[in-house]
Amino acid sequence: MTVLEPRDAEVSARTEEADEVNETVVAAAPEGVLGRTYRSLSIGIVSVVFLIAFEATAVGTAMPVAARELHGIPLYAFAFSAYFTTSLFAMVLSGQWADRRGPLGPLTAGMSAFGLGLLLSGTASTMWMFIAGRAVQGLGGGLVIVALYVVISRAYPEHLRPAIMAAFAASWVIPSVVGPLASGSVTEHLGWRWVFVGIPLLVVFPLALALPAIRRMASGPADAAAPVEPFDRRRIVLALGISLGAGLLQYAGQERNWFSLLPVAAGIALLVPAVRGLLPPGTGRAARGLPSVVLLRGVAAGSFIAAESFVPLMLVTQRGLSPTMAGLSLAAGGGTWALGSYVQSRPRLEPHRERLMVGGMVLVAAAIATAPAVLIDGVPVWTVAAAWAVGCFGMGMVIASTSVLLLKLSAPQEAGANSAALQISDGLSNALLLAAGGAAFGALGGGAVGAVHEAVEAGASGSHPGAFAVVFLPMAGVALVGAWVATRVRENA
């Protein structure tokens, strides 16, 4: 046995002490979303978002061909509204499920329903079977998106949440560019059905990677010692009401006749109590804090998506672009959206988050107001691409910031319900503003919203320029209202 001299022993003791200090420093060093603790979880849930993004862009490209082959062009709009209405209900269900029993159950069920819905649509022999598949897919999408928010609130510390939200935004970049091209190629050479039945095969990887990590880091109720509360049946009924009400208003917006006043009245009667019961008190009057965060999410998403839906049609019918080129004019937006989300994730900008959101909404309003300038022949068509890139940068800052603030202002046991409220505000605003914009568009000779994609596919060219202006300019005004709402997201002024 080696015997240490006193001096050697002193040196050895100091060395051991230094090693212990180094280990403590390393252990205390901040770990990123791709650090050892979070790597599997981060890659898994970002892969889920990537899959949803790819589906949204790829399926949207193939759907006009599917509707034509299934002789369902008159029912085309229902293929979108079926997804939306069922997802609204599923968001509320997912919020309650995740708060009471953890996010693992709704996430697994949601991904399964998502894949099953795609398979049902891809193998449909009639348009109504196709729509049923889209409805099942909407149930899955609504369950998944809220469950992911709850996973983030439980598994990630507050300082890492902006980064994982930025990763979510970045996961849309590749699908926004590759999705339409890949879907178009598959549809042309193999058939539209392969776009639907092929995507479920991709579900296996993110589930295999994410579920073990979620089970380890975010499973079970927020307070394991507290008794598990039963589901709130009143909120479930309200969720059904908001789904049915939104569907009735979408239908009425497409019909635009005296008889459509009946579904309008019924839709409003269902929506008003449902919205008041499912969104935080004070949302309608932009009360400070959480209510304004939820309201801003709806104002931002609704105004932007409602305007964006008409951009390809405007470029095709008014400037003669091919559908592919018109769609690609929006492709750069995926990158700038991710950039905006990255900017808001910088720690040094956290004290200025409110100003970032106000500035983001001003950029969104400017982009929407600039887009119809291409109705003037002398304005180059690339103006839309440039404007939309700027608008997407603003949206990246705003959308990610609303998610970050919502989780910051929510108690752990309320994260699911509040996340559901955020997504309901987002989805409901999309539907209502699209219905309003579509009705105004059709009233000025532009055609019904349900015919938008059909017109793009056919390359029709008869829409009146004013029909587009009456969509874009009011939506720019709505976005400016969002800039004011953004000044109220902090609880203390």
Side-chain angles (χ1 to χ4, degrees), residues 274-376:
V275 168
R276 295 184 64 181
L278 294 174
L279 299 186
T283 299
R285 55 184 174 84
R288 289 195 175 276
L290 183 63
S292 285
V293 172
V294 172
L295 177 61
L296 177 60
R297 178 60 164 258
V299 170
S303 60
F304 189 79
I305 298 302
E308 186 179 62
S309 298
F310 289 88
V311 169
L313 181 62
M314 179 175 64
L315 294 177
V316 169
T317 61
Q318 302 301 310
R319 298 303 297 266
L321 268 65
S322 68
T324 300
M325 291 302 298
L328 288 177
S329 68
L330 306 177
T336 56
W337 190 308
L339 179 61
S341 186
Y342 171 80
V343 168
Q344 66 79 38
S345 72
R346 298 299 84 199
R348 67 178 180 273
L349 294 179
E350 176 59 33
H352 310 290
R353 185 173 296 281
E354 180 181 319
R355 294 181 181 179
L356 288 177
M357 299 170 79
V358 173
M361 289 309 303
V362 171
L363 292 179
V364 171
I368 296 174
T370 301
V374 298
L375 294 170
I376 303 172

Side-chain angles (χ1 to χ4, degrees), residues 194-215:
W194 284 100
V195 176
F196 289 85
V197 301
I199 292 178
L201 298 176
L202 304 177
V203 172
V204 177
F205 170 74
L207 285 180
L209 196 60
L211 292 186
I214 294 173
R215 184 178 293 107

Side-chain angles (χ1 to χ4, degrees), residues 181-199:
L181 296 176
S183 177
S185 179
V186 170
T187 300
E188 181 179 350
H189 295 97
L190 298 177
W192 64 269
R193 295 182 185 276
W194 284 100
V195 176
F196 289 85
V197 301
I199 292 178

